[in-house]
Amino acid sequence: MASLDALIKELDKLSVNIKSSADQTKSADVPQGAAELLENIIIKLQGVKGDIGGSQHIYVQAFQTFLSDSVAPFVNLSNEIGGDVKEQGALFKKAFDAQGAFIVVASESKKPGQGVLVQLLQPTSQSISEIQAFREKKRSSPFFNHLSAVSEGVPALGWVTIDPKPAPFVKEMGDAGQFYSNRVLKDFKGKDEKHVNWVKALMKVFKDLHEYVLKYHTTGLVWNKQGKEASPSAAASPPPPAGGAPPPPPPPPVEASTGTGSSGGDGGEVPRGALFAEINKGGDITKGLKKVTKDMQTHKNPALREGPKPFGAPKPFKPTSVGKPAATPAAAKAKKAPVLELQGKKWVVEHYENNPAVEVTVPEMKQTVYVYKCTNSTIQIKGKVNSITLDGCKKVGLVLENALSGVDIINCQSIKVQVTERVPTVNIDKTDGAMIYLSPTSIDTQFVTAKSSEMNILVPQEDGEYKEFAVAEQFRTMYDAAKKKIVTECAEVVA
């Protein structure tokens, strides 16, 4: 049985190598169906061993080992620090446990359609959203740098939606939190080694996750081609408690009229008379006012200007009309339903939120893709497309193969784009935060930028890793008397 295990591992490595070679060369020297044939042989051998899927699958066991060797020590250190770090550590563990359950489903099931896949990923996506929301509501926390380091890196769990090379995505997301991790090291190095070890443990989590994906899912998440149909119930959230929502409270009792209230017919005459009597006092009306001393004057005492205004006058009452009740904030800012449809020759992708598996398959190269107002989502575009536009998006990852004309990024924040084959031009306008991952066949891509900041281009190296280059943001302009024209040059050093 030990020799059978060794044979399965060797065949698995050979399958990964053939897939990688086929993706890189696309030549007739590497049979494109060889990897699939080897996968079928591996599945049959695992069936002989009683290891066809589920918790006994080789890459499921490897992920469980990763959870115990990497994630568990990090969570333990978070518990030792306590407070907000401990709370977020529990959410962090919940997210990785959800991914572990999803990987078990993948080992037992065929790859499902888009709708079922989104439902299966819902627990993981929900956990990521909870971690990021926890960080946002704890901005005043003394551990905000800790919370931010985790929040920026945890989207690495979205690698399960990346095809064909998810490992670089994991490394990219893991590196995204290093800015805050370095702040933690700066604050606690030499003072409290517990926090230093916490940072090392967090970096180890993403490093080990990158190695796991690179070893077992080199060209994308491995599904069981001979498995059962994936069921959304495998990742369904627990149902709400029986009985539904509690009934609304009863209306307040109607108070009996006492005959002395001011709402009666002539009840308003007394206050009105008192008001005219005060006005008729003339200059004597100010005798009852207290004198403002120097220690009460805010312009001479800065301490009085801190916090809310202590002497703010109440706002006057404005009765609303009976027929038109005031709109609630929820009604005024209702969420729009996501849209994914073909309009003429343009694919429209709008209003997706917290969705790590938006997929657009473009059958004709004349068609374009327009992505609008999407948030915290990953969009994968398969096939050759004329052009792609990202407009008004925030924290969106875009994975594309070929764009004949180019990619336009407009009015966006925190955008990441990965090119797997080729794109000639990338235009970036009014955008804060853009990371562009080029492929070996697209290193001659031209970039046109305007009114943008925090732009980086990542170029693949011979060892498979990426080297990051910053795009200039500041320029120096002067008049050249010899050439009799305006000359502009970079005002900063760009590596």
Side-chain angles (χ1 to χ4, degrees):
M1 189 60 69
S3 60
L4 181 57
D5 288 337
L7 177 60
I8 291 175
K9 291 181 180 180
E10 290 300 321
L11 288 175
D12 194 24
K13 292 179 181 179
L14 181 58
S15 173
V16 169
N17 292 336
I18 290 179
K19 268 190 173 183
S20 179
S21 299
D23 288 337
Q24 293 176 2
T25 62
K26 299 294 183 185
S27 68
D29 296 335
V30 181
Q32 299 297 312
E36 287 74 10
L37 179 60
L38 269 178
E39 283 184 356
N40 292 333
I41 295 174
I42 292 170
I43 291 172
K44 290 179 181 179
L45 288 174
Q46 288 174 334
V48 172
K49 183 176 175 289
D51 215 6
I52 192 72
S55 61
Q56 299 301 316
H57 197 286
I58 184 173
Y59 65 73
V60 174
Q61 292 179 340
F63 193 83
Q64 295 302 320
T65 301
F66 158 73
L67 291 180
S68 59
D69 293 350
S70 301
V71 177
F74 170 76
V75 175
N76 291 337
L77 284 170
S78 299
N79 294 337
E80 291 180 15
I81 294 175
D84 295 332
V85 178
K86 179 180 178 180
E87 290 187 49
Q88 194 185 56
L91 297 175
F92 189 80
K93 180 179 184 300
K94 178 182 174 184
F96 277 85
D97 287 343
Q99 177 145 105
F102 175 78
I103 289 176
V104 172
V105 174
S107 71
E108 298 173 338
S109 312
K110 301 175 183 177
K111 185 175 182 179
Q114 183 72 11
V116 176
L117 181 61
V118 171
Q119 295 181 54
L120 290 172
L121 288 170
Q122 186 61 32
T124 306
S125 177
Q126 181 65 30
S127 298
I128 294 174
S129 299
E130 289 176 357
I131 291 172
Q132 294 174 336
F134 184 82
R135 172 244 189 146
E136 291 301 322
K137 72 179 182 181
K138 295 290 184 178
R139 286 190 168 271
S140 59
S141 171
F143 300 119
F144 179 72
N145 289 329
H146 297 68
L147 307 182
S148 298
V150 174
S151 177
E152 292 293 327
V154 76
L157 293 177
W159 68 266
V160 293
T161 66
I162 304 299
D163 184 26
K165 295 180 180 180
F169 176 81
V170 176
K171 187 176 188 305
E172 168 199 345
M173 291 294 100
D175 293 343
Q178 283 192 0
F179 173 79
Y180 296 99
S181 298
N182 291 337
R183 284 188 169 186
V184 176
L185 293 176
K186 179 182 177 182
D187 293 340
F188 292 96
K189 193 170 184 179
K191 300 177 182 178
D192 191 342
E193 289 301 312
K194 186 185 300 180
H195 296 265
V196 176
N197 294 333
W198 182 91
V199 171
K200 293 179 180 178
L202 178 62
M203 296 175 65
K204 184 176 185 300
V205 168
F206 294 116
K207 177 178 177 293
D208 292 350
L209 179 61
H210 174 261
E211 292 177 355
Y212 167 80
V213 174
L214 193 62
K215 180 177 180 180
Y216 294 100
H217 306 276
T218 309
T219 57
L221 177 65
V222 178
W223 296 82
N224 190 338
K225 294 183 180 180
Q226 296 184 358
K228 60 184 179 181
E229 296 294 333
S231 171
S233 61
S237 57
V254 180
E255 296 181 1
S257 175
T258 61
T260 61
S262 61
S263 60
D266 297 331
E269 294 298 328
V270 176
R272 190 179 299 123
L275 174 64
F276 282 113
E278 292 290 331
I279 294 175
N280 290 334
K281 288 183 179 180
D284 294 336
I285 195 171
T286 61
K287 288 184 177 180
L289 299 178
K290 294 182 179 180
K291 184 178 180 181
V292 179
T293 59
K294 292 182 179 181
D295 61 332
M296 299 170 62
Q297 297 174 358
T298 57
H299 67 282
K300 294 185 178 181
N301 293 275
L304 296 177
R305 295 196 294 269
E306 297 179 358
K309 296 180 181 179
F311 309 114
K315 295 182 179 180
F317 173 73
K318 294 182 180 180
T320 56
S321 60
V322 178
K324 297 180 179 180
T328 61
K333 193 178 179 181
K335 288 186 177 181
K336 295 185 179 181
V339 176
L340 175 54
E341 61 181 10
L342 179 61
Q343 299 177 358
K345 294 184 179 180
K346 179 171 69 174
W347 286 92
V348 177
V349 184
E350 296 181 348
H351 305 298
Y352 275 92
E353 293 186 9
N354 303 320
N355 191 331
V358 182
E359 183 175 308
V360 183
T361 302
V362 181
E364 299 179 10
M365 66 177 63
K366 294 182 179 180
Q367 296 175 349
T368 62
V369 178
Y370 180 73
V371 183
Y372 178 70
K373 290 287 185 182
C374 293
T375 304
N376 199 28
S377 299
T378 300
I379 301 169
Q380 184 174 8
I381 300 175
K382 295 187 175 182
K384 287 187 177 181
V385 62
N386 188 2
S387 64
I388 302 171
T389 301
L390 293 178
D391 187 4
C393 296
K394 185 177 181 180
K395 293 185 178 179
V396 168
L398 175 68
V399 183
L400 67 124
E401 296 176 2
N402 282 286
L404 302 180
S405 176
V407 176
D408 296 327
I409 305 172
I410 307 168
N411 293 320
C412 295
Q413 297 180 18
S414 302
I415 300 299
K416 296 179 176 63
V417 177
Q418 181 179 1
V419 182
T420 60
E421 293 189 22
R422 178 164 176 76
V423 59
T425 306
V426 176
N427 298 311
I428 306 175
D429 189 16
K430 299 178 183 177
T431 294
D432 295 324
M435 299 184 71
I436 313 297
Y437 287 76
L438 300 178
S439 67
T441 57
S442 188
I443 56 176
D444 59 345
T445 299
Q446 296 184 1
F447 293 84
V448 180
T449 63
K451 300 180 181 179
S452 300
S453 62
E454 300 177 17
M455 298 170 290
N456 295 279
I457 302 171
L458 291 97
V459 181
Q461 305 298 303
E462 294 180 356
D463 58 357
E465 299 297 331
Y466 285 83
K467 186 175 181 180
E468 185 174 349
F469 298 88
V471 178
E473 299 175 15
Q474 297 180 355
F475 302 91
R476 182 189 300 110
T477 301
M478 66 193 76
Y479 176 74
D480 191 333
K483 299 180 180 180
K484 296 183 178 180
K485 65 177 183 179
I486 296 294
V487 178
T488 301
E489 60 184 15
C490 291
E492 57 184 4
V493 178
V494 180

